[in-house]
Amino acid sequence: MHTVKLKIEDNIYQNIMFLLNNLNLKGLVIKEEKQVSKNTKQSIKQLFKSKDIEIFKSIDNPMSWQNKQRDEW
């Protein structure tokens, strides 16, 4: 018996699991192990590392923008 471990990024995880689960081979056992991070800051950095988000870049005056948002409530 052999063991293979794969590190899979979140964006392709569902595709890989679908493929493995549909192989229907005798002798194939799929065991999912989710990686648990103890460092929250590092987890957040890893999550947004591949993202290119510039949502707040267009805000010239953050305080004014925030006050406007509050006024809408």
Side-chain angles (χ1 to χ4, degrees), residues 23-62:
L23 286 176
N24 271 343
L25 297 173
K26 290 181 182 177
L28 176 63
V29 177
I30 300 169
K31 181 179 177 185
E32 294 182 61
E33 294 179 5
K34 294 186 179 186
Q35 184 176 6
V36 178
S37 177
K38 296 178 184 176
N39 186 346
T40 304
K41 184 176 180 180
Q42 189 64 27
S43 297
I44 293 171
K45 283 183 177 181
Q46 182 68 26
L47 178 65
F48 291 104
K49 180 174 75 172
S50 63
K51 308 294 183 216
D52 186 21
I53 302 172
E54 298 181 0
I55 296 173
F56 300 106
K57 211 170 198 178
S58 64
I59 299 173
D60 295 327
N61 185 343

Side-chain angles (χ1 to χ4, degrees), residues 5-36:
K5 290 187 177 186
L6 302 171
K7 287 187 177 184
I8 303 172
E9 291 186 13
D10 291 338
N11 60 337
I12 61 169
Y13 175 78
Q14 290 297 328
N15 295 336
I16 299 298
M17 290 308 294
F18 178 81
L19 175 71
L20 292 174
N21 285 320
N22 285 297
L23 286 176
N24 271 343
L25 297 173
K26 290 181 182 177
L28 176 63
V29 177
I30 300 169
K31 181 179 177 185
E32 294 182 61
E33 294 179 5
K34 294 186 179 186
Q35 184 176 6
V36 178

